[in-house]
């Protein structure tokens, strides 16, 4: 489709993707309703069914459902809504997809992914100088 990128406006977009365990699927409708009420109706969305988790500390999938939505970026107002939704996702035992995240806060991350003590010990052993860093890693306390 020609000029598809113009549908999201001049500020671009954010993608919000989360997974919730079986039984938490009602959160998908809650998220869509909250986004619409905030004037951030998704441009594109995908619902996926996940199977067993891998057991790796930063792995995203878990047995349950995932929703991914592309949202026109509308600044702080959208971020405030997403911060509230992050708490709902964490309360439901879910998590936000880190590979597509640009704004998740440290408290919500810790609630979703746990203390990651073993992961941090492995990181310290394999990268003692703290060479491997990213904005996401610094924001979420995954690196120095």
């Amino acid at each position: 489709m020609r000029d598809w990128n113009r549908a999201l406006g001049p500020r671009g977009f954010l993608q919000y993707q989360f997974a919730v365990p079986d039984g938490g699927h009602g959160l998908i409708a809650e998220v869509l309703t909250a986004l619409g009420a905030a004037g951030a109706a998704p441009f594109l969305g995908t619902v996926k069914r996940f199977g067993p988790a891998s057991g790796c500390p930063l792995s995203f999938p878990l047995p349950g459902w995932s929703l991914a939505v592309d949202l026109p970026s509308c600044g702080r107002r959208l971020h405030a809504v997403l911060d509230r939704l992050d708490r709902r996702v964490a309360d439901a035992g879910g998590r936000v997809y880190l590979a597509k995240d640009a704004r998740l806060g440290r408290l919500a991350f810790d609630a979703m992914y746990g203390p990651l003590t073993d992961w941090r010990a492995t990181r310290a052993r394999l990268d003692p100088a703290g060479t491997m860093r990213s904005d996401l890693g610094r924001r979420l306390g995954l690196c120095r």
Side-chain angles (χ1 to χ4, degrees), residues 17-108:
Q17 183 171 357
F18 66 92
V20 289
D22 287 323
H25 59 278
L27 192 55
I28 292 172
E30 184 180 329
V31 166
L32 292 172
T33 300
L35 292 171
F43 171 75
L44 177 67
T46 305
V47 175
K48 297 177 186 174
R49 177 89 171 109
F50 286 157
S54 73
C56 295
L58 293 174
S59 180
F60 170 66
L62 49 83
W65 295 93
S66 174
L67 173 69
V69 289
D70 291 350
L71 306 161
S73 183
C74 51
R76 293 175 199 240
R77 183 180 65 195
L78 175 60
H79 285 239
V81 171
L82 293 176
D83 288 345
R84 284 193 304 277
L85 294 173
D86 290 342
R87 287 190 292 277
R88 294 286 298 127
V89 168
D91 290 346
R95 55 184 70 131
V96 165
Y97 188 31
L98 299 178
K100 295 182 180 179
D101 176 61
R103 37 132 315 269
L104 183 68
R106 175 80 183 265
L107 291 175

